Amino acid sequence: MTMATTGQDVVEETRAFNTRMARILGRFPPLHKIDDVSLARSGDGPWPAPPVLAEGRDRVVPGRAGGVPVRVFTPPVVHGVYLFLHAGGRVVGSAGHQDTQLWDLARGAGVAVVSVDYRLAPEHPHPAAPDDCEDAARWLVGHARHEFGTDRLVIGGESSGAELAVHTLLRLRDADGSHRAFRGAYLAYGYYDMSLTPSARSFDEDGPLITTPVIRWLLSHAFPGLSPEQLRDPGVSPLYADLHDLPPARFVVGTRDPLLDDSTFMAARWRAAGNGTDLEVVAEAVHGFTMFPIKVAERELARAREFVARVVGD
């Protein structure tokens, strides 16, 4: 396993941004206090609505519960296909919330991007989200060459999307070995233990962005009625799964992220299982830091493009 601790040279910028963000977020009640899923999804908050790019194409692929919506970005030159799973704790977010980031990645890495608009809780609690992600992955395994001219695949996601990417690989592996179609996994600040790692338990009101109460609120909708022991089932929390025979992965997380332990623990287990593992820990970066206009985000987005391009080029 290679491990890098980065961002020290720009740590003052990162800290200053964290302070500004905490001040802005302090004007709005947190998700667990609003306790209104519809309002949480409405976009009425501190951040402007994300741009919707004409380069994104919405379509539907087959799934066990009906069609699975996906948003597709296809650059002029395609060397591979990146299956992307969005963030949002399985409760908020959509495939249409990161067009600019995905289009930049598509062009920079030379890959088509298929972003999955999986079903959200509480309307569709676990296992709806991993079912949709698995179905989209199976469609891609079977149709990528016809649709995009290549079967060089990579999977990835951010936050809950990273967790869903791991679940997808595990499900494909255990069913028929079709996970081997994916040459790598990009896993940014993921949830991997739904019973909460030590760091996830320790951010009671010490954000910014997400805190322990917000995490618990999201999990209560995504996994209703499950006991702590049930939350540690490998089918719920991939940190406890058998991780053998999985593709090389890049993990990235910030030191100010409640999910710091999730990434460091999972990276250690990924490596111990014999899989290629890179872990980058970014000084003072918060959860979701790649969404914001700071130097550590710019660097990580560039490294993500490099990772995806390298994986599909190997």
Side-chain angles (χ1 to χ4, degrees):
M1 179 171 74
T2 62
M3 177 175 174
T5 302
T6 61
Q8 291 288 356
D9 60 321
V10 291
V11 71
E12 292 308 319
E13 180 206 38
T14 307
R15 286 174 176 154
F17 178 80
N18 292 349
T19 299
R20 292 196 304 273
M21 183 164 62
R23 190 180 305 121
I24 293 169
L25 289 173
R27 304 170 190 159
F28 297 84
L31 289 178
H32 67 286
K33 291 185 177 178
I34 298 174
D35 196 23
D36 184 327
V37 171
S38 296
L39 185 60
R41 294 175 184 165
S42 69
D44 293 335
W47 318 119
V52 177
L53 301 185
E55 289 82 2
R57 183 165 58 96
D58 294 318
R59 59 179 299 183
V60 176
V61 302
R64 71 195 72 184
V68 178
V70 296
R71 189 156 173 79
V72 180
F73 298 84
T74 307
V77 177
V78 176
H79 300 296
V81 187
Y82 180 41
L83 184 67
F84 177 79
L85 309 175
H86 69 78
R90 300 201 191 184
V91 175
V92 299
S94 81
H97 281 180
Q98 53 280 313
D99 278 16
T100 300
Q101 174 186 333
L102 295 182
W103 182 233
D104 286 347
L105 187 146
R107 291 179 298 169
V111 294
V113 177
V114 177
S115 181
V116 183
D117 213 11
Y118 54 84
R119 288 171 291 164
L120 299 177
E123 299 91 337
H124 304 284
H126 181 79
D131 285 352
D132 287 353
C133 295
E134 179 188 356
D135 291 344
R138 289 193 176 281
W139 173 82
L140 192 58
V141 169
H143 294 83
R145 180 164 288 281
H146 172 74
E147 294 278 346
F148 304 105
T150 177
D151 57 6
R152 293 172 173 262
L153 309 181
V154 59
I155 192 171
E158 300 164 349
S159 192
S160 55
E163 168 244 329
L164 289 166
V166 176
H167 276 306
T168 300
L169 291 170
L170 292 171
R171 284 171 165 224
L172 296 180
R173 182 199 66 188
D174 294 345
D176 56 18
S178 56
H179 70 296
R180 295 192 183 93
F182 292 91
R183 296 163 173 251
Y186 176 77
L187 305 171
Y189 37 83
Y191 291 77
Y192 304 113
D193 182 355
M194 305 311 153
S195 68
L196 302 192
T197 57
S199 64
R201 295 169 185 264
S202 66
F203 274 65
D204 274 341
E205 293 296 342
D206 186 18
L209 204 60
I210 67 167
T211 62
T212 301
V214 170
I215 294 170
R216 292 190 185 279
W217 182 83
L218 293 167
L219 295 175
S220 72
H221 289 298
F223 305 95
L226 296 189
S227 68
E229 188 59 34
Q230 289 171 320
L231 289 171
R232 286 189 284 271
D233 183 281
V236 174
S237 294
L239 182 65
Y240 299 95
D242 177 350
L243 300 176
H244 79 278
D245 188 26
L246 293 176
R250 173 176 173 79
F251 295 86
V252 62
V253 69
T255 62
R256 293 281 294 121
D257 191 329
L259 302 180
L260 173 62
D261 287 348
D262 287 68
S263 285
T264 56
F265 293 178
M266 181 60 99
R269 293 214 59 235
W270 203 272
R271 177 182 180 272
N275 309 306
T277 310
D278 289 334
L279 168 64
E280 184 152 344
V281 179
V282 183
E284 296 297 315
V286 299
H287 190 73
F289 74 93
T290 56
M291 298 185 294
F292 300 109
I294 51 177
K295 191 66 176 180
V296 289
E298 176 187 326
R299 290 173 177 175
E300 181 51 35
L301 292 173
R303 289 174 182 134
R305 292 191 293 268
E306 291 166 4
F307 173 82
V308 171
R310 184 175 71 251
V311 165
V312 299
D314 285 345

